[in-house]
Amino acid sequence: MKTYLSVTRKSAFGVVWVLLLLIPRHASGTIESARALVLTENFNHAITEYARLLVRDSSNVSLNAEFAYALALDGIYDAALARLDRIWQMKAGNKDAAYFAAQVFTLMGYDRLANDIGQSAGQNESPEWIASKAPLLLQKYRRTVSRPDQFNRNELVDAFNRANRLTARNFTLQSVALFEDITYRYPGAYLPYLGYSIALEKAGLYEKSVQAIQTALILVGNKPEQNETRQVLEKRLASLQGKSGNIAGSGSPGLSTKTPEKASLQKMAYAGGFISSGYSSFNARFGQFFTRNNYATVDMGISVANNSTFTNLGFTLFNRQKIFVLGFGLTGSFGEGSSILYSKISVGPSFMNKKGTASFDIFLDGKAPLKKGYPTTLGISIGRSIYFGKRKQTP
């Protein structure tokens, strides 16, 4: 599969090299020497210096942000975003993180993202050591983005799946960059904008998250068959607008606050449909929570492929992080004189009602056969879950 977060040809080598540099060793050099190497455009040696400094002070937010900037100047974009993701959730009150993140996105050619991140923390307040040089470095090392008009179907599904996984694992800036690419290439589908909104919210970019949902609503339109989808999007829009207002009022953009625990439910049941080219199914599952955010389900259903009908039976382990759900499992298909075992993945948003008793689920489902000669299937399943029983769960 192709990787859709564009990187340079030396990126993979660069990541391996940087990881090797992070092996503990006797560290020498100072932050001033690392910065001097950046200012003289000796990026390879600057990366080495920053890597050695981070061995001694790996949680330093400003140091990590400068390291990411040096990586991006050297064209190693994926490693730069990964480095920023390491410190993004603990950047409160540190303007260096937002400044250098904006610089990284500008170097990558993502100007809209750069502007949003920069405005959230005062992009004009550049650190003194780089203030006069930064515009020249951007002009010289900024990437010219060349992207095809659209993904093909398989590329879209693969990119969407990867972006959702990044969001679920809190690699928010990597996810945001990939969703920016997806929506640029495939602007006519509302579902990527919904995923984009979730990633932007986790990154603390609430106004841009609101804009993504507004775009999704425009794309859904006013067709009667889209009423339920529109209601879900409108509910999310209202929730985001409330968060955006509260955060703006507090003067702390991009900071998250913990929500107190509330009573939630112990068991669940789901019913929904799976749609893909040449394949369709109706699925149901019944589950039991075993921690606040994790549950296991028994899955059953009926599928139709190439005019053949199969009965499906399996199990899945799910993890829920706020509105985002990721599941892995096994399922068997039985019928037409044969039986096939598949590994499966389900990933996507699950929108809980206010009472916590039901959710509207939009999952990307994939099934890979464990026997040669059978196709892999991918599709979007839309369904509804209900929750019952008693437990304590953090939303």
Side-chain angles (χ1 to χ4, degrees):
M1 291 284 185
K2 295 181 179 178
T3 299
Y4 301 107
L5 176 55
S6 301
V7 295
T8 63
R9 61 183 181 180
K10 62 180 176 180
S11 177
F13 169 79
V15 173
V16 174
W17 182 45
V18 169
L19 290 174
L20 290 174
L21 287 170
L22 290 175
I23 298 173
R25 67 180 75 182
H26 176 71
S28 61
T30 64
I31 186 65
E32 288 76 16
S33 64
R35 289 171 175 174
L37 289 166
V38 171
L39 293 171
T40 57
E41 303 178 35
N42 191 344
F43 304 131
N44 285 337
H45 286 89
I47 288 169
T48 302
E49 285 299 311
Y50 278 116
R52 289 175 178 170
L53 290 168
L54 281 165
V55 170
R56 299 183 302 201
D57 193 7
S58 61
S59 62
N60 186 310
V61 173
S62 294
L63 191 58
N64 276 281
E66 291 182 26
F67 186 22
Y69 179 52
L71 288 164
L73 286 168
D74 205 32
I76 310 174
Y77 304 123
D78 47 357
L81 292 178
R83 177 57 53 176
L84 289 168
D85 273 330
R86 288 169 63 97
I87 48 90
W88 199 246
Q89 300 303 321
M90 55 182 182
K91 71 181 188 308
N94 187 303
K95 291 188 176 182
D96 286 353
Y99 173 80
F100 286 113
Q103 292 290 302
V104 168
F105 278 118
T106 303
L107 286 165
M108 295 177 68
Y110 295 133
D111 290 341
R112 291 184 300 176
L113 284 174
N115 290 335
D116 288 323
I117 290 174
Q119 290 170 6
S120 73
Q123 183 177 357
N124 293 329
E125 299 180 25
S126 54
E128 184 177 351
W129 72 270
I130 195 64
S132 62
K133 184 75 172 183
L136 298 175
L137 293 176
L138 283 178
Q139 183 178 4
K140 187 172 182 179
Y141 293 102
R142 171 187 168 91
R143 181 182 63 173
T144 301
V145 180
S146 177
R147 294 178 284 192
D149 291 337
Q150 286 191 343
F151 291 120
N152 63 41
R153 182 182 177 280
N154 290 335
E155 289 173 337
L156 174 64
V157 170
D158 184 54
F160 184 72
N161 191 18
R162 180 168 176 257
N164 283 331
R165 287 200 306 270
L166 288 168
T167 303
R169 296 172 183 174
N170 290 321
F171 299 139
T172 53
L173 296 186
Q174 296 173 74
S175 176
V176 161
L178 186 50
F179 270 122
E180 173 76 2
D181 216 20
I182 293 170
T183 54
Y184 175 89
R185 299 192 196 187
Y186 213 90
Y190 81 89
L191 196 57
Y193 284 99
L194 176 57
Y196 197 7
S197 174
I198 296 168
L200 288 163
E201 180 188 5
K202 294 189 75 171
L205 300 174
Y206 290 95
E207 290 186 9
K208 192 165 177 63
S209 180
V210 167
Q211 293 170 10
I213 286 295
Q214 290 172 334
T215 301
L217 280 165
I218 292 172
L219 293 171
V220 166
N222 295 312
K223 297 179 181 179
E225 62 269 24
Q226 296 286 7
N227 282 345
E228 188 171 9
T229 300
R230 170 170 279 279
Q231 289 173 6
V232 169
L233 293 174
E234 288 174 343
K235 184 181 295 185
R236 172 160 174 77
L237 177 61
S239 174
L240 282 171
Q241 288 172 331
K243 288 181 181 180
S244 179
N246 290 337
I247 290 171
S250 70
S252 303
L255 302 182
S256 61
T257 57
K258 290 186 177 180
T259 307
E261 288 192 349
K262 67 179 181 180
S264 192
L265 302 168
Q266 175 180 343
K267 301 176 188 280
M268 62 83 63
Y270 165 90
F274 179 101
I275 305 169
S276 70
S277 178
Y279 181 90
S280 61
S281 70
F282 173 81
N283 302 308
R285 53 178 172 256
F286 302 91
Q288 172 80 41
F289 284 85
F290 52 89
T291 70
R292 292 174 179 176
N293 298 313
N294 298 283
Y295 59 97
T297 65
V298 175
D299 311 329
M300 58 196 70
I302 297 175
S303 60
V304 178
N306 299 323
N307 296 321
S308 298
T309 301
F310 296 86
T311 300
N312 305 312
L313 182 64
F315 72 92
T316 309
L317 298 175
F318 286 94
N319 174 262
R320 184 183 187 98
Q321 297 294 331
K322 294 186 178 178
I323 69 169
F324 198 84
V325 176
L326 176 65
F328 298 94
L330 294 172
T331 187
S333 292
F334 309 94
E336 302 294 326
S338 65
S339 59
I340 311 163
L341 185 64
Y342 294 85
S343 62
K344 60 176 290 189
I345 180 173
S346 294
V347 60
S350 173
F351 300 98
M352 192 78 71
N353 64 10
K354 290 183 179 180
K355 295 181 179 179
T357 57
S359 64
F360 177 65
D361 307 327
I362 307 172
F363 292 155
L364 177 65
D365 287 346
K367 293 168 55 178
L370 301 182
K371 182 190 295 186
K372 293 182 178 179
Y374 294 90
T376 296
T377 60
L378 293 169
I380 301 295
S381 67
I382 300 176
R384 190 168 181 82
S385 297
I386 59 173
Y387 305 88
F388 49 97
K390 292 183 178 180
R391 67 185 177 92
K392 283 283 188 178
Q393 183 182 11
T394 301

